[in-house]
Amino acid sequence: MAATMVLTVLAVMASMVAAYDNGVALKPALGWNTWCTLSDCHNGDNNYFDRCNEWELREIAEAMLSNGMHDLGFQYINLDDCWAAQERDSNGNIQPDPSRFPSGMKAMADWLHEKGLKFGLYTSMGTETCNHGGRPLPIPGSFGHYAEDAKTFAEWGMDYVKVDWCGGELNDAQTQHTELSKALNATGRPIWLELCRGYSYDPIPDYVTEVAQSWRITGDHQDEWSNTKTVIEGFMIPSNQAGPNQWNYGDFLMTGGPGCNLNNSDHCPFSSDDEYRTSFSVWTISSSPLIVSTDIRNMTAVMKQCLLNKQAIAINQDHESTPGRLIGQAADANCIASDLRTGDCPIFGRKLSDGTYAAVLLNFADQGTRTVTLPFNWLGVASNQTMAVYDILEQKSLGNFTGSFTAKDLNPHQSIFLSLTAA
Ligand SMILES: *[C@@H]1O[C@H](CO)[C@@H](O)[C@H](O)[C@H]1NC(C)=O
Ligand SMILES: *[C@@H]1O[C@H](CO)[C@@H](O)[C@H](O)[C@H]1NC(C)=O
Ligand SMILES: *[C@@H]1O[C@H](CO)[C@@H](O)[C@H](O)[C@H]1NC(C)=O
Ligand SMILES: *[C@@H]1O[C@H](CO)[C@@H](O)[C@H](O)[C@H]1NC(C)=O
Ligand SMILES: *[C@@H]1O[C@H](CO)[C@@H](O)[C@H](O)[C@H]1NC(C)=O
């Protein structure tokens, strides 16, 4: 019976291996990454995504500083698989592609730091990277060079390293991730380490909390609904606990659509605005790092609605409360729930450190509207308590309710992100 499928997880912080606290990850990272923005398709080349160069990076940084994102805490400017040269230098050091970063990485880092921003880059645990940033030949990964590359990254002034899982010599993730983590630690520069290994539906292995600050909970987030749905299901896995210094990451947000539509790639096509609002809301309530990969130089309305929403970002950053979890499947007559994770009407919820609550009510079905009811006792609120309910993304009060709140006629993949305060 659907009504009984309720998790009482809000107060549960499962026993966790001690987090690795190096001072940089008290709160989920907020930032931007090259992945779905700086492509040559602007120039009619529809074949590649993830290009980058120092000129566009400066424009992106200026945009983050002036468009309101920085004021809300966005600070990371991260490169994906687009920056490294195809050869190491004669001493075996990894180096930037000189046509893309002629001034070098240290100059770029210094420029960003002067402006109050942070700088991140990408490498792979194997001998080659995954995507090559649209370049035909392999790009070196860090295998065999973990210590040297960590030293190079620290000397350049890197604040964040995303490490992928491509290129051969991928033998034992725990051993290899630990080796890279220790090498980064030994540099003396505190660096955020993101592990990217596509842990789909597996429990996240315990060791990750001892070596990194964030880890992907699923495979790549590709910007189309069937994939977005698998990431949202990743956030539903009860064992994936998160908190200060240990954040579950849903991969890039592509909020607002990409700079261009790459028809040969399923990574960055268009989703609907409802789908962008839904992914943003679930990532946000779950305290995933929010790394947006769309073009923040020219924000669309839905980008502004989400990324500049002060209340939403504050919920994401509320490190003193347990990140949002799946708290149940709504029991409305039109909501079919075959099991807790695969129902039509999942609800995420969370109690915040100021004593208020947040919830995301979803229509997970592909066809037909759904009416979704949140019983307040799923949040731990007494059934006789009246709650003032507020729509966070529309920024409007929905009224006072006792016992439950019902969102009527949500469209397929639509959701509503609520704030609830005792009235
Ligand atoms: C290195 O690890 C120790 C122990 O976890 C931690 O306290 C310290 O902040 C780390 N230092 C850097 C530079 O990451
Ligand atoms: C992608 O394909 C769609 C139709 O399949 C077409 O309308 C659109 O123009 C294409 N976009 C590009 C950038 O080629
Ligand atoms: C910004 O985006 C809008 C809508 O996509 C487009 O019409 C406009 O030309 C863009 N402006 C710039 C400066 O890229
Ligand atoms: C709600 O119910 C509890 C008992 O379940 C009672 O103690 C409390 O006074 C009630 N509060 C209101 C506002 O009615
Ligand atoms: C909701 O309750 C609060 C506190 O009692 C009250 O100030 C507010 O006017 C109420 N709002 C509505 C829409 O009734």
Side-chain angles (χ1 to χ4, degrees):
M1 190 180 181
T4 62
M5 288 200 278
V6 180
L7 280 180
T8 49
V9 292
L10 282 183
V12 177
M13 201 73 170
S15 62
M16 290 185 291
V17 181
Y20 169 32
D21 177 2
N22 68 352
V24 300
L26 182 63
K27 301 174 185 181
L30 299 176
W32 173 89
N33 181 291
T34 50
W35 187 249
C36 282
T37 298
L38 304 181
S39 161
D40 272 9
C41 56
H42 292 294
N43 303 320
D45 176 351
N46 194 29
N47 289 319
Y48 303 120
F49 50 96
D50 196 27
R51 296 290 179 91
C52 60
N53 64 56
E54 61 183 56
W55 305 279
E56 282 183 309
L57 221 59
R58 286 191 167 89
E59 285 182 17
I60 292 284
E62 300 280 13
M64 184 182 281
L65 290 165
S66 63
N67 69 10
M69 291 177 77
H70 187 57
D71 294 337
L72 295 186
F74 283 86
Q75 58 175 349
Y76 286 97
I77 299 284
N78 289 354
L79 305 171
D80 212 75
D81 189 358
C82 58
W83 65 271
Q86 281 163 359
E87 303 289 344
R88 288 175 177 269
D89 71 14
S90 53
N91 298 318
N93 294 317
I94 201 159
Q95 55 183 347
D97 181 332
S99 70
R100 296 180 179 196
F101 292 91
S103 311
M105 302 311 259
K106 175 137 194 349
M108 189 78 238
D110 288 347
W111 187 88
L112 290 167
H113 290 155
E114 268 166 36
K115 301 204 171 285
L117 298 172
K118 293 186 185 293
F119 195 19
L121 55 60
Y122 164 107
T123 189
S124 182
M125 292 309 295
T127 53
E128 292 173 13
T129 65
C130 295
N131 174 59
H132 311 161
R135 292 162 292 182
L137 293 171
I139 300 296
S142 287
F143 182 81
H145 300 268
Y146 296 159
E148 296 97 310
D149 287 359
K151 193 160 166 283
T152 302
F153 300 158
E155 283 168 5
W156 285 343
M158 285 298 157
D159 303 296
Y160 188 113
V161 170
K162 165 185 173 177
V163 65
D164 216 338
W165 188 250
C166 278
E169 300 293 352
L170 302 171
N171 306 313
D172 179 73
Q174 178 166 357
T175 305
Q176 289 173 268
H177 285 152
T178 303
E179 188 183 337
L180 179 65
S181 173
K182 286 195 183 323
L184 287 167
N185 185 279
T187 67
R189 183 176 179 83
I191 294 174
W192 184 303
L193 179 60
E194 173 201 325
L195 305 180
C196 172
R197 228 207 103 184
Y199 296 104
S200 301
Y201 293 96
D202 293 332
I204 304 293
D206 284 343
Y207 81 87
V208 297
T209 65
E210 296 169 66
V211 301
Q213 284 67 44
S214 62
W215 35 84
R216 294 266 299 277
I217 54 168
T218 59
D220 288 357
H221 180 208
Q222 300 172 10
D223 191 12
E224 47 93 20
W225 176 255
S226 65
N227 178 279
T228 299
K229 189 175 177 188
T230 66
V231 182
I232 294 175
E233 286 163 354
F235 283 117
M236 294 177 178
I237 300 173
S239 62
N240 292 354
Q241 295 298 335
N245 304 300
Q246 47 185 50
W247 302 109
N248 288 327
Y249 178 41
D251 198 11
F252 305 130
L253 285 171
M254 286 81 160
T255 312
C260 54
N261 183 10
L262 299 164
N263 280 350
N264 68 341
S265 161
D266 51 5
H267 282 82
C268 312
F270 295 102
S271 291
S272 71
D273 283 355
D274 275 343
E275 290 162 352
Y276 288 131
R277 281 185 282 265
T278 292
S279 50
F280 173 79
S281 299
V282 173
W283 268 236
T284 295
I285 197 170
S286 307
S287 277
S288 168
L290 302 177
I291 310 286
V292 66
S293 68
T294 43
D295 195 344
I296 61 172
R297 292 172 297 187
N298 187 14
M299 302 239 274
T300 59
V302 70
M303 287 172 85
K304 291 179 185 160
Q305 181 185 25
C306 293
L307 302 172
L308 300 182
N309 190 295
K310 192 173 178 179
Q311 187 176 11
I313 301 300
I315 290 169
N316 173 265
Q317 297 284 290
D318 184 9
H319 64 280
E320 290 174 345
S321 64
T322 304
R325 311 292 307 166
L326 177 71
I327 58 170
Q329 287 282 349
D332 297 84
N334 60 355
C335 292
I336 296 164
S338 45
D339 67 49
L340 188 64
R341 273 167 42 198
T342 58
D344 288 345
C345 308
I347 299 179
F348 283 73
R350 154 173 209 174
K351 183 175 187 181
L352 296 159
S353 61
D354 65 1
T356 67
Y357 300 83
V360 180
L361 284 55
L362 295 96
N363 177 358
F364 229 32
D366 292 330
Q367 283 178 337
T369 59
R370 295 290 185 279
T371 288
V372 183
T373 298
L374 165 66
F376 294 153
N377 61 10
W378 288 11
L379 292 165
V381 171
S383 329
N384 59 359
Q385 174 66 54
T386 298
M387 303 298 283
V389 179
Y390 186 81
D391 183 329
I392 293 173
L393 294 184
E394 295 301 326
Q395 299 186 29
K396 71 171 190 224
S397 189
L398 300 175
N400 291 340
F401 299 84
T402 306
S404 65
F405 172 81
T406 297
K408 294 206 177 77
D409 297 331
L410 294 177
N411 289 319
H413 314 164
Q414 190 185 14
S415 60
I416 186 165
F417 191 3
L418 302 176
S419 147
L420 304 102
T421 308

